[in-house]
Amino acid sequence: MWMEKCKDVDCFMSGLIKRNAGQPEFHQAVREFAATVIPFIRDNPTYLENQILERMTEPDRVVTFRVTWRDDKGSIRVNRAWRVQFNNSIGPYKGGLRFHPTVTLSVLKFLGFEQTFKNSLTGLPMGGGKGGANFNPKGKSDNEVMSFCQSMMTELFHHIGPDKDVPAGDIGVGAREISYLYGQYKRLQNQFHGVLTGKGLSFGGSLIRTEATGYGCVYFCQEMLNHRGDSLENKNVVISGSGNVATYAAEKATELGAKVLTLSDSSGFIHDPDGIGPEKLEFVKELKEVRRGRISEYTDRFSSATFHADQRPWAVDCDVAIPCATQNEVNLDDAKKLTGNNVMAVCEGANMPTELDAMNHLMQAGALFGPAKAANAGGVAVSGLEQSQNALRLSWSREEVNEKLLGIMKNIHAKCVQYGETGQLPNDNVNYVTGANIAGFIKVADAMVAYGAV
Ligand code: NDP
């Protein structure tokens, strides 16, 4: 029993690191979680007796496989893919697929681990999983992407199903990739059912799914500010990324009266002091989704903006920051720049974009901090609603889905307040990290206890 021997997080982590050597992102995600959950477990001996934390940090299963495909020159190419089925205690595995050269087992385990508690927070019956491949869709033709997706699904289809495991998109996997993957699944299985979410509207997709993560994140941010008697109205907002999450976060923030000053990609960021309003955002969506261009092209079109190569946007003076690109994109120096400019709130659109010491600095300096598990749960929540619509063979209206999304984000915020009001942070701020971790933990842990030793 580790807790009899171990008194603190470092001791728990030393065992976990030994068992999972060379997986730094996974270690980071577990450390953040364990630091808040271990004190709670100590106060609730049932979880301790049932070794819940040890069991929760071990995935149910990991499938690793080769993906062989042909490029346009006829050459054979090989990639490695994974599906991490982390925990199905409260529902079928659910979580996206990521295509990016930086994808490793460590990255997918961190994502699958966090997904388990995020899905729990939504209140919907979804377990946690994540998958992907070290395939880089950038610079590939549509035909090459299709060839890769078909080959990947030819193995993946053995492991997924509407009551088993339901993948969705993530970095590098958007509408095009989900369509190719679903087309191949349907062909292999000869069944038309909701095995992937983020599908096109003509074949079982849900309205608002595309927008859901970005919109949901801004709804959560608005709730944090409202709780402090404030709002997004007239706030300056800095956003990183220019993909799915970033563009729809920018859209909703603008709609709620904020001015969005920046967007970025892996080559740098653009700063537009006039604000990136609806017309400019349409240009960005077309640039990134259709032409698959670079964010620097924004400045060719809009002279009000400047491009800053190889830099991140966190030094730009703002009230609210919403990192929406990738993990570990806000380090301690960045956090100090943000607090130096008196940032009021940081809300994570991406998964684990903030390093641990940066997160602690922001909270200790009095900024509201919305962690990814809570703040970006809107995407998977609407994926859950897509599954419900598929099962019911119904399509809900845009207004209906948006209303449900808003309700889910408000509920998540309320759960964070319930478990995160510690009175230990400046400004009497809610500790949303503690709140999200404990609220997400309880539902999964109670189900695991009920199942016995499985
Ligand atoms: P996209 O592929 O649509 O966009 C990703 C954006 O981030 C692009 O602008 C990309 O730039 C940039 N980016 C990716 N990797 C890096 C990097 N290493 N350094 C700098 N910039 C980078 O992905 P999404 O918008 O879907 O996902 C973004 C984040 O949100 C991820 O953390 C994802 O896990 C998380 N998320 C996504 C959900 C969804 O529904 N899509 C749900 C919940 C979380 P470039 O074009 O140069 O690669």
Side-chain angles (χ1 to χ4, degrees):
M1 295 277 279
W2 65 269
M3 274 229 185
E4 280 161 14
K5 291 182 274 149
C6 272
K7 296 268 175 283
D8 58 16
V9 178
D10 285 338
C11 182
F12 174 75
M13 287 306 298
S14 69
L16 184 120
I17 290 167
K18 256 189 227 146
R19 292 192 298 280
N20 300 277
Q23 298 182 359
E25 293 86 359
F26 180 54
H27 304 163
Q28 183 183 341
V30 175
R31 182 179 286 280
E32 181 239 275
F33 186 76
T36 51
V37 163
I38 285 178
F40 182 73
I41 292 178
R42 286 193 175 284
D43 293 341
N44 293 274
T46 310
Y47 299 135
L48 196 55
E49 287 152 21
N50 280 277
Q51 300 272 36
I52 289 298
L53 193 58
E54 276 208 332
R55 287 159 64 188
M56 269 182 179
T57 48
E58 196 65 42
D60 290 351
R61 107 185 25 81
V62 177
V63 186
T64 309
F65 53 100
R66 181 182 71 235
V67 182
T68 309
W69 55 284
R70 261 185 210 282
D71 66 20
D72 287 345
K73 293 189 186 115
S75 303
I76 289 183
R77 309 282 287 266
V78 182
N79 286 93
R80 185 177 296 172
W82 296 263
R83 185 69 185 164
V84 178
Q85 296 182 329
F86 219 103
N87 190 308
N88 69 350
S89 297
I90 61 167
Y93 303 107
K94 180 93 200 82
L97 296 171
R98 178 177 290 192
F99 292 171
H100 198 272
T102 58
V103 167
T104 59
L105 180 57
S106 170
V107 168
L108 296 178
K109 279 176 69 178
F110 115 64
L111 289 164
F113 177 73
E114 295 221 324
Q115 193 82 46
T116 303
F117 307 104
K118 179 186 310 188
N119 293 2
S120 162
L121 279 174
T122 65
L124 301 173
M126 300 182 291
K130 200 80 187 189
N134 60 359
F135 170 74
N136 187 0
K138 242 180 253 162
K140 305 283 190 305
S141 69
D142 286 351
N143 189 54
E144 289 175 324
V145 172
M146 180 174 72
S147 169
F148 178 83
C149 288
Q150 291 181 341
S151 180
M152 177 160 173
M153 185 52 85
T154 303
E155 172 62 30
L156 188 62
F157 94 104
H158 293 296
H159 312 289
I160 61 176
D163 296 316
K164 191 193 276 185
D165 185 352
V166 184
D170 192 77
I171 291 179
V173 179
R176 173 182 65 168
E177 291 75 17
I178 291 290
S179 304
Y180 291 149
L181 289 162
Y182 189 61
Q184 182 71 352
Y185 176 86
K186 195 174 61 58
R187 184 159 96 174
L188 291 165
Q189 202 62 297
N190 191 22
Q191 271 178 335
F192 191 102
H193 50 204
V195 73
L196 290 173
T197 56
K199 298 186 292 298
L201 291 177
S202 60
F203 50 94
S206 173
L207 287 161
I208 303 278
R209 173 60 190 93
T210 310
E211 298 90 333
T213 309
Y215 279 17
C217 183
V218 171
Y219 289 149
F220 190 87
C221 190
Q222 178 85 317
E223 282 298 301
M224 291 201 304
L225 291 167
N226 286 347
H227 192 70
R228 217 163 85 171
D230 208 329
S231 79
L232 273 164
E233 182 88 44
N234 298 323
K235 298 290 185 299
N236 285 325
V237 177
V238 161
I239 296 181
S240 65
S242 50
N244 171 272
V245 181
T247 47
Y248 290 101
E251 186 168 287
K252 184 54 71 179
T254 305
E255 214 178 290
L256 294 179
K259 190 200 264 190
V260 175
L261 300 176
T262 66
L263 289 171
S264 74
D265 64 18
S266 49
S267 55
F269 79 92
I270 54 116
H271 178 199
D272 188 340
D274 290 352
I276 305 168
E279 187 210 334
K280 293 171 174 173
L281 211 47
E282 282 314 306
F283 168 83
V284 175
K285 285 186 200 163
E286 202 266 338
L287 170 72
K288 298 299 282 188
E289 278 171 36
V290 183
R291 289 197 280 129
R292 298 186 189 276
R294 309 307 298 154
I295 197 67
S296 55
E297 294 169 51
Y298 182 100
T299 54
D300 302 336
R301 176 70 181 269
F302 303 107
S303 56
S304 49
T306 47
F307 176 64
H308 305 262
D310 301 321
Q311 286 184 52
R312 303 191 281 211
W314 313 125
V316 174
D317 193 357
C318 67
D319 304 301
V320 173
I322 313 187
C324 295
T326 192
Q327 63 268 13
N328 293 330
E329 54 164 322
V330 182
N331 63 25
L332 184 58
D333 279 350
D334 298 322
K336 285 180 178 165
K337 285 174 195 153
L338 285 165
T339 53
N341 284 326
N342 293 322
V343 71
M344 294 174 66
V346 176
C347 208
E348 295 188 323
N351 283 311
M352 205 168 74
T354 318
E355 293 183 7
L356 263 174
D357 51 1
M359 182 181 91
N360 289 329
H361 171 80
L362 289 164
M363 291 198 293
Q364 293 306 333
L368 293 167
F369 185 81
K373 276 187 207 82
N376 74 21
V380 75
V382 175
S383 275
L385 301 179
E386 182 175 329
Q387 288 177 264
S388 304
Q389 292 170 81
N390 291 163
L392 293 167
R393 299 186 193 285
L394 286 175
S395 296
W396 295 329
S397 69
R398 202 179 155 81
E399 292 71 27
E400 233 172 327
V401 180
N402 191 40
E403 199 57 35
K404 289 185 200 301
L405 170 63
L406 181 58
I408 289 170
M409 297 314 296
K410 285 185 176 207
N411 271 337
I412 295 175
H413 181 268
K415 284 185 205 166
C416 292
V417 172
Q418 184 183 349
Y419 292 100
E421 199 105 56
T422 61
Q424 286 167 0
L425 293 177
N427 306 329
D428 217 15
N429 282 349
V430 174
N431 188 328
Y432 288 94
V433 176
T434 303
N437 286 343
I438 293 178
F441 167 85
I442 290 172
K443 188 174 172 193
V444 181
D446 287 351
M448 291 177 79
V449 169
Y451 293 138
V454 291

